[in-house]
Amino acid sequence: QVQLVESGGGLVQAGGSLRLSCATSGRTFKSYAMAWFRQAPGKEREFVAAINWSTYYADSVKGRFTISRDNAKNTVYLQMNSLKPEDTAVYYCAATELDYGLGYEEYDYWGQGTQVTVSS
């Protein structure tokens, strides 16, 4: 069983930056592929970025967001730069035992989410 706790969300102006963190429990963190998803009001949950031994990004965030992980701290990060109002959403951390996944149905464990609001 893996427990995920996100932090770092908040309110930021367009063009600003935030760094999200996702702390995990469990002794086998490095065996999981990790990802960030987001869900805006009235929209479906969408893939943002994933990491195993490589990284994967949605086209909408490529070049602006960076996913990374620290296996010693059992933590995954999402550095978000050049934020836009359309990045406003609840951001969720997720874990899977698969090599990686781009769909939310491929992830078994989820955090509670952290709100990111980007003002124009």
Side-chain angles (χ1 to χ4, degrees), residues 10-95:
L11 174 64
V12 65
Q13 289 188 330
S17 298
L18 282 175
R19 188 175 83 153
L20 306 183
S21 299
C22 174
T24 72
S25 64
R27 298 171 292 176
T28 57
F29 171 74
K30 62 182 179 181
S31 68
Y32 290 91
M34 302 296 297
W36 290 94
F37 287 77
R38 66 187 182 187
Q39 189 166 17
K43 295 188 176 181
E44 292 192 353
R45 192 168 298 190
E46 65 173 1
F47 171 79
V48 175
I51 185 168
N52 46 22
W53 52 86
S54 187
T55 56
Y56 311 87
Y57 296 95
D59 288 343
S60 59
V61 306
K62 202 170 293 183
R64 299 188 298 123
F65 291 10
T66 302
I67 189 171
S68 61
R69 64 191 298 164
D70 186 334
N71 289 337
K73 295 183 178 180
N74 287 1
T75 301
V76 63
Y77 304 96
L78 185 67
Q79 178 66 44
M80 305 185 294
N81 299 328
S82 302
L83 282 161
K84 304 175 181 180
E86 51 264 43
D87 294 318
T88 295
V90 177
Y91 282 70
Y92 296 91
C93 176

